[in-house]
């Protein structure tokens, strides 16, 4: 997995193909200089990650194919319980 991961709306993912539009595509093409044939890491914000292959680059659009998909597990292995301490009323100063 590369250091760069890009958000992919589930609406732009269909039948193992994806589309990245607008400023995100311009950033990938112009700044990061990705080219056709390169792999790209994607996520949908719902716990799914994808590795895609760029098939076609247009001016403000990237068309690609999903080559692998996996579910991301971000849940911690340790369960933590927090509890607040109760203070004695005589120690609390109430200002009016």
């Amino acid at each position: 997995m590369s250091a760069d991961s890009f958000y992919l709306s589930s609406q732009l993912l269909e039948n193992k193909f994806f589309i990245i539009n607008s400023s995100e595509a311009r950033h990938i093409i112009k700044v990061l200089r990705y080219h056709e044939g390169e792999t790209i890491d994607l996520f949908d914000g719902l716990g799914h990650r994808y590795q895609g292959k760029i098939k076609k680059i247009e001016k403000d659009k990237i068309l690609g194919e999903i080559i692998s998909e996996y579910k991301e597990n971000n849940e911690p292995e340790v369960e933590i319980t927090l509890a607040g301490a109760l203070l004695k009323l005589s120690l609390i100063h109430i200002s009016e």
Side-chain angles (χ1 to χ4, degrees):
M1 185 175 4
S2 74
D4 300 313
S5 292
F6 304 96
Y7 175 73
L8 179 66
S9 169
S10 59
Q11 298 160 341
L12 300 175
L13 177 65
E14 188 174 315
N15 297 328
K16 298 289 183 183
F17 291 94
F18 65 88
I19 299 171
I20 300 174
N21 292 313
S22 67
S23 63
E24 189 83 36
R26 283 191 301 277
H27 178 74
I28 294 168
I29 297 164
K30 302 290 183 189
V31 177
L32 299 174
R33 300 187 187 275
Y34 277 74
H35 301 287
E36 291 179 5
E38 290 189 80
T39 58
I40 186 169
D41 291 319
L42 307 161
F43 67 95
D44 65 3
L46 300 172
H48 298 96
R49 294 190 70 84
Y50 308 92
Q51 187 172 43
K53 186 171 191 175
I54 298 173
K55 293 292 188 178
K56 185 175 182 182
I57 293 178
E58 297 177 0
K59 183 180 179 183
D60 289 339
K61 186 187 293 186
I62 296 173
L63 307 168
E65 180 180 12
I66 299 296
I67 54 178
S68 66
E69 175 182 349
Y70 53 96
K71 183 115 171 110
E72 188 171 59
N73 185 7
N74 285 333
E75 295 297 320
E77 294 179 17
V78 178
E79 188 174 314
I80 298 174
T81 303
L82 299 177
L86 299 176
L87 299 176
K88 291 183 180 181
L89 189 55
S90 63
L91 297 176
I92 300 175
H93 298 286
I94 301 174
S95 58
E96 295 180 19

